[in-house]
Amino acid sequence: MGPPKTPKDWLAYLYGRLSEQRSGILKYAEYYEGEHQRLAFSQARYRSEFREVFEQWRDNFCGLIIDSATERMSVDAFRLPDGQGTDKDARRFWQMNSMDMLSNSTHLDAMIQGRAYVLVWAGSDGEPVITPISAEEMVVHYKPGSFTELEAAARFFQDPWGRQWVTLWTEKYVYEVTLGKTDWEDGVQKPNPLKRVPVVPFYNRSRLVGDPYSDLANVIPIQDAINKITSDGLTASEFAAFPQRFVTGLEIQEDEQGNPIEPFQVAVDKLLQAEDPKANFGQFQAADLSNYVSLINLLVQHLSSISRTPSHYFLVNAGNAPSGEAIISAEAGLVSKVRERMLYFGEAWEQVVRLCFAVKRDKRAKEFGIETVWRDPEYRTEAQHIDALLKLKQLDVPLEFLWASAGFTDTQIQSFREMRKADAKAAKEIQELGPQAQQSNQPSEGKAAAMAAKPPQGNAGNASRKIHEAK
């Protein structure tokens, strides 16, 4: 059929892509939230008797696997290659749009569902507005043969009142369907002042072919197995872990229909007794639940290996967490995974900043040397960290770089600069108000020479004495 020609054709094509995309990503959000398992693997008897007790039960590791990585990803600032320090305008865009908080949500959605999007557009005051958007609402289309240039993007959003919002962006125009209208032909087309699609995809380590994938894709089957084994263990704890008792030599009573009557109501707080001296009581051995624990521990170790999450996060070491060098070694895989995600997400944030400059018609919109400054994802003791920075200072590394490496934010570093200026000014004022050097009573060099050339005064007696001594 060829590529779409009209806005309606584009919307029809992209909506079909979005519907296909949604079907594959909604389950990942359910697994992250733990909404997938509500007695899903329980036996019928267990489900009927314990629904009210365990309906809200959660034993979900999917959230832990995602959070252990996203909590280490935090954008501090943006740096331009020719600038001193970090870029103040980029930081202002960031703070103005509350991206300290919303950037974490973007990383979270991208790792859970494999993708997320950020829209940059001009607000009513002409300032850039950064809007993170879920993959459940937006879809993009790349130019043929390109991995970076978008040809079109569309958002299909329904507000709390049930009204539909539909917007299409291309390089040439922006097409908005009238609010609440379901007919996509009833829209308004306006020129795109940016001359580019103002949407930036955040892909979670996408391949050259195929769709981006969620970090939970390989985790879900193991999580389902853990849920199943846990449900079996809870069922066994109720029906097999309580020792079953038996009695022999007791006459069996029958009802009117000839069915045997149960002679005892067995319970934890009940005693069994019989008048017949031939009656003999006993009990079977209780079921051992340790086999369920061993199997769950094995599956959790597989989770740790596949997701590159340290095993002590799952408490598989009987709760004994490593310390010192051991914890650095144990978290090396997780740190490497986070740094790799920073590579993908950092490039996307740099595109967002360039779009912000494009909205302001700033020449930095074409500055491809912008660098995202991330907070260090590796956890170290404060003493080790500061000691390493002091050694770097001996190599004449600039102070501002050391401050940033120490974990101080761009705002704090700016405060440090002002504090250092204030300290230098105060030190100069104190020096000026201090005691002055005392003036010397010694004559100047010229005055001393004149005094030496002048004949000595009061030496008449000495001259007379020399004359008499000569005679």
Side-chain angles (χ1 to χ4, degrees):
M1 297 177 60
K5 300 296 184 182
T6 65
K8 182 179 179 181
D9 293 340
W10 268 117
L11 290 175
Y13 167 71
L14 293 175
Y15 187 76
R17 288 269 308 278
L18 180 63
S19 300
E20 180 182 357
Q21 177 177 297
R22 279 177 179 169
S23 62
I25 66 177
L26 288 177
K27 70 173 183 179
Y28 296 127
E30 293 178 353
Y31 270 84
Y32 174 77
E33 299 291 346
E35 297 292 336
H36 63 285
Q37 57 190 35
R38 297 184 175 181
L39 304 178
F41 305 97
S42 303
Q43 300 176 11
R45 185 175 180 182
Y46 179 87
R47 187 192 300 254
S48 61
E49 296 190 14
F50 301 101
R51 172 177 292 276
E52 295 181 359
V53 179
F54 291 107
E55 187 173 9
Q56 301 300 322
W57 168 68
R58 298 287 188 274
D59 189 21
N60 184 33
F61 294 109
C62 294
L64 168 66
I65 291 171
I66 298 294
D67 293 341
S68 63
T70 56
E71 67 186 11
R72 294 172 181 255
M73 288 187 283
S74 179
V75 177
D76 268 348
F78 296 92
R79 184 184 297 118
L80 270 67
D82 298 331
Q84 295 293 330
T86 56
D87 191 83
K88 296 180 180 179
D89 292 331
R91 187 64 186 175
R92 184 174 65 86
F93 298 152
W94 190 263
Q95 294 287 349
M96 186 171 56
N97 289 278
S98 303
M99 293 310 297
D100 281 338
M101 172 189 65
L102 295 177
S103 62
N104 181 265
S105 300
T106 306
H107 302 154
L108 188 65
D109 264 29
M111 293 194 69
I112 293 173
Q113 299 182 328
R115 71 199 83 189
Y117 301 94
V118 171
L119 169 67
V120 180
W121 200 245
S124 57
D125 56 354
E127 294 292 335
V129 177
I130 306 174
T131 308
I133 301 176
S134 169
E136 299 176 17
E137 301 176 2
M138 178 165 278
V139 64
V140 299
H141 179 77
Y142 285 91
K143 292 182 179 179
S146 176
F147 293 101
T148 57
E149 296 184 23
L150 295 181
E151 188 173 5
R155 185 186 186 188
F156 302 86
F157 169 66
Q158 190 172 21
D159 64 17
W161 292 272
R163 298 176 299 180
Q164 188 180 40
W165 299 63
V166 179
T167 307
L168 170 69
W169 294 271
T170 68
E171 291 181 335
K172 297 180 179 180
Y173 60 84
V174 179
Y175 185 79
E176 292 183 281
V177 178
T178 305
L179 179 62
K181 297 292 184 179
T182 57
D183 189 355
W184 292 340
E185 290 183 349
D186 188 10
V188 178
Q189 181 174 321
K190 298 179 181 179
N192 185 350
L194 299 180
K195 306 300 182 183
R196 57 188 293 191
V197 179
V199 176
V200 180
F202 281 71
Y203 289 152
N204 185 45
R205 195 188 180 194
S206 59
R207 298 177 55 210
L208 295 179
V209 294
D211 295 330
Y213 66 90
S214 167
D215 263 29
L216 301 180
N218 295 328
V219 170
I220 286 176
I222 302 178
Q223 178 66 66
D224 288 344
I226 292 174
N227 293 339
K228 196 268 180 187
I229 300 302
T230 305
S231 297
D232 291 345
L234 291 173
T235 305
S237 69
E238 180 65 24
F239 295 105
F242 180 75
Q244 297 294 318
R245 296 181 174 87
F246 64 85
V247 58
T248 61
L250 188 67
E251 182 179 357
I252 299 177
Q253 302 293 328
E254 297 181 351
D255 58 14
E256 297 178 354
Q257 287 75 27
N259 299 320
I261 300 176
E262 185 176 0
F264 303 106
Q265 293 293 330
V266 180
V268 176
D269 57 347
K270 300 292 184 180
L271 293 177
L272 307 182
Q273 62 180 2
E275 298 179 354
D276 192 341
K278 296 181 181 180
N280 183 27
F281 293 92
Q283 70 177 22
F284 298 106
Q285 185 177 1
D288 184 9
L289 301 181
S290 61
N291 56 340
Y292 295 101
V293 177
S294 300
L295 182 54
I296 290 176
N297 284 340
L298 175 64
L299 294 174
V300 168
Q301 290 177 9
H302 285 210
L303 267 184
S304 174
S305 176
I306 291 175
S307 64
R308 303 180 74 184
T309 307
S311 58
H312 60 270
Y313 277 38
F314 299 97
L315 301 179
V316 296
N317 299 320
N320 298 323
S323 59
E325 295 295 330
I327 196 170
I328 296 177
S329 177
E331 295 183 352
L334 175 61
V335 172
S336 298
K337 171 184 173 180
V338 171
R339 290 189 187 278
E340 186 182 35
R341 298 304 188 273
M342 287 179 174
L343 179 66
Y344 289 89
F345 296 158
E347 177 62 30
W349 285 125
E350 291 158 16
Q351 295 181 38
V352 169
V353 172
R354 284 194 290 269
L355 279 172
C356 290
F357 284 126
V359 170
K360 299 292 291 183
R361 301 185 183 278
D362 191 299
K363 64 180 181 179
R364 285 171 287 184
K366 295 184 179 181
E367 179 56 73
F368 296 99
I370 296 177
E371 179 185 5
T372 305
V373 181
W374 295 89
R375 193 167 300 171
D376 189 358
E378 186 174 358
Y379 293 160
R380 291 174 287 183
T381 64
E382 192 69 13
Q384 291 175 331
H385 194 191
I386 298 303
D387 183 62
L389 295 178
L390 290 176
K391 291 179 180 178
L392 289 176
K393 184 179 180 182
Q394 295 176 1
L395 298 176
D396 293 331
V397 176
L399 278 177
E400 292 197 12
F401 178 84
L402 298 179
W403 291 339
S405 300
F408 296 108
T409 64
D410 190 60
T411 303
Q412 289 174 320
I413 293 175
Q414 182 65 29
S415 299
F416 291 167
R417 297 193 194 105
E418 299 300 326
M419 291 176 185
R420 286 173 62 86
K421 293 178 182 178
D423 290 344
K425 183 179 180 181
K428 182 179 179 181
E429 292 176 351
I430 292 174
Q431 185 177 7
E432 293 174 352
L433 295 175
Q436 304 295 321
Q438 295 183 357
Q439 295 183 355
S440 174
N441 294 326
Q442 299 294 331
S444 63
E445 184 177 352
K447 186 176 181 179
M451 292 174 63
K454 186 178 180 179
Q457 303 295 323
N459 290 332
N462 294 334
S464 178
R465 185 170 56 253
K466 290 181 180 180
I467 294 173
H468 289 294
E469 288 178 352
K471 292 179 177 181

